[in-house]
Amino acid sequence: DGKKLVRSPSGLRMVPELRSARSPFGLDEPPWVPDKECPRCMQCETKFDFITRKHHCRRCGKCFCDKCCSKKVPLPRMCFVDPVRQCAECALVSQKETEFYDKQLKVLMNGATFFVTLGTSDKSELMVCRLSNNQRYLVLDGDNHYEIEVMQISTVQILTEGFTPGGGNTRAIGMVLQYKVPGSEEVTQMKFTASEDFSCNKKLSASWLAAMHKATKLLYESRDQ
């Protein structure tokens, strides 16, 4: 998919040429609160004047003084090329998301092995599941081949084991997802169960599921924007 470099008031962004090619985890730039509507910092209420300048957070669009909006943090969900100015609250959120883009996204793209059950079938197939490089599809390969558009996924339930009344740790062992078939309102269900064959595969599957759990949260946030 082709990309283009664009300049906005917030900074340089490397975005897909077609909006339909954008990542399902992406966020649009927010509208900035107009200068005339914010005579004071929206965090500490310091009055703006010739000395105390206004700054807009690139993530929320609100208006702050330099002290409350001094951090420059990467914001890959909006495709910024360089770190951009954000308020303290937004900077904290963006810093947490950096782990997803630096680590967990790679885990999803590398893939893991699961037994996959389609619909109400009692038969399962061993398949490698991975996220496509453009982040738009879940690709499943085994004797059969499936491509599930991430934007068509309606629900994801992570299956766990190991919970104890005393608060013991749980471990992800599978997931159930539902998605809409393109061009139809029909909803299909798939169940993924981690393979028990090798302990290393089991650990890899658990890491993949944990990354998928985070990806699902970002997906829901993008839809609620």
Side-chain angles (χ1 to χ4, degrees):
D1 297 317
K3 292 187 177 182
K4 60 182 178 180
L5 189 65
V6 299
R7 181 182 293 277
S8 74
S10 299
L12 286 173
R13 302 170 65 220
M14 184 65 73
V15 301
E17 291 184 349
L18 300 176
R19 184 173 177 81
S20 59
R22 62 175 287 184
S23 166
F25 309 117
L27 294 173
D28 290 328
E29 283 187 83
W32 283 10
V33 174
D35 287 352
K36 62 182 180 181
E37 294 182 11
C38 52
R40 296 177 181 273
C41 173
M42 300 180 76
Q43 177 64 40
C44 70
E45 297 190 354
T46 296
K47 187 175 181 179
F48 294 121
D49 53 30
F50 288 110
I51 298 176
T52 306
R53 297 179 58 195
K54 301 174 182 178
H55 298 280
H56 286 85
C57 172
R58 272 49 174 173
R59 187 181 181 106
C60 68
K62 295 179 181 178
C63 197
F64 302 92
C65 67
D66 181 70
K67 182 180 178 180
C68 294
C69 194
S70 61
K71 294 186 177 181
K72 289 192 175 182
V73 180
L75 186 46
R77 294 186 73 185
M78 291 184 189
C79 303
F80 284 110
V81 174
D82 301 308
V84 290
R85 187 184 292 268
Q86 298 178 55
C87 66
E89 183 178 350
C90 286
L92 184 60
V93 174
S94 294
Q95 286 169 343
K96 290 180 179 179
E97 291 174 352
T98 298
E99 181 182 356
F100 173 76
Y101 279 89
D102 288 348
K103 298 179 182 179
Q104 294 169 323
L105 193 57
K106 295 176 184 177
V107 171
L108 290 174
M109 290 179 177
N110 288 336
T113 303
F114 297 93
F115 283 108
V116 179
T117 307
L118 181 62
T120 58
S121 173
D122 57 356
K123 295 182 179 180
S124 60
E125 179 181 344
L126 191 63
M127 308 189 82
V128 175
C129 182
R130 63 178 178 83
L131 185 68
S132 63
N133 290 337
N134 60 18
Q135 305 170 19
R136 301 207 311 273
Y137 297 91
L138 278 182
V139 181
L140 285 72
D141 279 306
D143 290 337
N144 291 297
H145 176 83
Y146 299 100
E147 292 187 7
I148 301 172
E149 191 173 355
V150 172
M151 287 298 292
Q152 297 298 325
I153 295 176
S154 52
T155 63
V156 176
Q157 178 188 2
I158 303 297
L159 307 176
T160 60
E161 70 174 8
F163 176 78
T164 63
N169 293 330
T170 59
R171 181 171 57 87
I173 59 170
M175 72 175 178
V176 176
L177 65 80
Q178 293 181 325
Y179 63 96
K180 289 184 178 180
V181 178
S184 168
E185 291 300 314
E186 178 185 353
V187 175
T188 300
Q189 177 174 294
M190 273 189 175
K191 181 178 180 180
F192 298 69
T193 306
S195 170
E196 301 283 345
D197 293 347
F198 305 100
S199 58
C200 60
N201 285 347
K202 203 170 184 180
K203 183 177 181 180
L204 179 62
S205 297
S207 297
W208 195 92
L209 290 167
M212 186 63 187
H213 181 61
K214 177 63 176 178
T216 301
K217 289 184 177 181
L218 298 185
L219 180 63
Y220 291 159
E221 288 173 10
S222 296
R223 291 174 177 173
D224 292 341
Q225 185 184 52

